[in-house]
Amino acid sequence: MYKPDQNFTDIANKFADNIYKTTKGRLRLAVLQQDLTNQGLVAGQNQAIAPQRILDIGAGLGHMSVWLAQQGHHLTAVEVAPNMVESAKVFAQQLAAEVDFHCQPAQDFIRAYQGEQFDWLICHAVLEWIAEPQAFVDYLFKVLKPGGKLSIMFFNNTAKLIGNLLYGNFDYINSGMRAKKQVRLSPNYPQEPQQVYTWLERYGKIVHKRGVRCFHDYMIDRTMWHSHFEQIVEQELAVSDSEPFISMGKYIHVVVEKHSN
């Protein structure tokens, strides 16, 4: 029996405002979409793509599910917060995107799933809210077919440490970076990258890594977040797929190809 995990049922509007309406959220989405484009999920000029069966775990307000459905893929989206699912359905309808939405915990969906396995599994900004993250990773691979790919992005504890060092929050660091009062949108379980890589490599080969927001959040002049946003995206994409920038990313995006046997 797994422990209860965080969800955003009672703060969906705050979640939308603080994630999707900021340069942080826009940058995150731009980087992820570019990565998935590079992985062959978007048709190039005069080049068709085969529709993929994709499962989006923790689909939130549906931004990634809808975008992938618009590329011609078959989307199943799972989200535990009912009001977020309803908003995602409206968003999908507005853009005429066909997405099969399920409102339930991901673990319950996977346990009950009886269909064929998925070609791709998307799991972005979920792992850091899960009480038992290693067991959750195990669940994800249960519904991914051999040779299929997992796109997983998680909140990076190394970057959390870097940020607090830069701000001189030494007492907070010495306390193990445990806050006296939990901030609702501050991830409960930041992940150690090497630990996550180890969990993933039990099931497949890591074929891509990228730091997400590897310098954006550290910029001294934050007015540039808005005035130079396109240049920030360009520079993030230019440097964030190699070290030390991967480990500096507030999030790390990893693509894993599941073993064929």
Side-chain angles (χ1 to χ4, degrees):
M1 190 70 179
Y2 55 86
K3 299 176 184 178
D5 302 318
Q6 174 72 45
N7 71 73
F8 303 100
T9 300
D10 56 343
I11 55 169
N13 290 336
K14 184 177 180 181
F15 181 89
D17 290 341
N18 282 270
I19 304 297
Y20 295 112
K21 294 182 180 179
T22 66
T23 58
K24 292 180 180 181
R26 289 165 56 205
L27 175 59
R28 188 172 89 180
L29 187 61
V31 169
L32 289 170
Q33 289 180 340
Q34 185 60 57
D35 273 357
L36 295 178
T37 296
N38 293 344
Q39 289 291 321
L41 287 179
V42 177
Q45 195 170 28
N46 301 320
Q47 180 183 7
I49 54 170
Q52 302 289 295
R53 298 184 69 252
I54 302 176
L55 174 62
D56 187 359
I57 293 289
L61 296 173
H63 290 74
M64 188 58 68
S65 289
V66 167
W67 178 72
L68 288 168
Q70 290 177 313
Q71 312 309 316
H73 301 300
H74 306 298
L75 261 294
T76 301
V78 179
E79 169 57 48
V80 70
N83 48 355
M84 296 184 79
V85 172
E86 291 308 309
S87 295
K89 287 180 177 179
V90 171
F91 180 51
Q93 290 170 357
Q94 289 173 341
L95 295 178
E98 293 187 14
V99 180
D100 180 20
F101 288 100
H102 296 259
C103 184
Q104 63 187 129
Q107 297 95 326
D108 290 351
F109 175 86
I110 291 171
R111 277 198 294 264
Y113 185 70
Q114 299 296 320
E116 296 179 7
Q117 293 178 309
F118 291 92
D119 302 301
W120 274 84
L121 200 156
I122 307 295
C123 184
H124 297 159
V126 175
L127 200 61
E128 59 270 20
W129 302 103
I130 300 297
E132 298 178 4
Q134 182 176 1
F136 189 77
V137 169
D138 294 339
Y139 266 104
L140 297 180
F141 281 96
K142 291 180 184 295
V143 290
L144 187 64
K145 76 176 188 181
K149 290 182 178 180
L150 166 65
S151 168
I152 185 167
M153 183 183 72
F154 58 89
F155 191 79
N156 176 16
N157 197 53
T158 301
K160 182 179 181 181
L161 174 59
I162 293 171
N164 280 285
L165 286 168
L166 291 173
Y167 283 108
N169 296 331
F170 304 130
D171 289 341
Y172 177 62
I173 292 169
N174 291 335
S175 72
M177 293 194 290
R178 292 188 298 272
K180 293 181 180 179
K181 182 178 180 181
Q182 179 66 42
V183 179
R184 298 299 299 279
L185 290 177
S186 179
N188 297 338
Y189 309 104
Q191 298 297 310
E192 295 291 345
Q194 290 301 326
Q195 181 64 81
V196 177
Y197 301 154
T198 298
W199 295 339
L200 297 173
E201 287 172 334
R202 291 174 55 206
Y203 292 96
K205 177 183 178 181
I206 292 176
V207 296
H208 175 75
K209 291 180 191 173
R210 185 187 296 280
V212 180
R213 289 170 28 210
C214 65
F215 70 82
H216 169 279
D217 292 33
Y218 307 121
M219 292 179 70
I220 295 171
D221 183 358
R222 294 191 171 189
T223 65
M224 294 182 71
W225 287 1
H226 296 278
S227 63
H228 291 69
F229 179 74
E230 297 302 327
Q231 290 156 288
I232 290 171
V233 173
E234 180 182 354
Q235 293 301 319
E236 286 266 355
L237 288 169
V239 303
S240 59
D241 60 352
S242 62
E243 294 291 1
F245 300 103
I246 293 172
S247 295
M248 291 173 62
K250 285 301 178 82
Y251 290 83
I252 295 178
H253 180 220
V254 184
V255 178
V256 187
E257 184 175 320
K258 187 177 178 180
H259 295 312
S260 295
N261 49 27

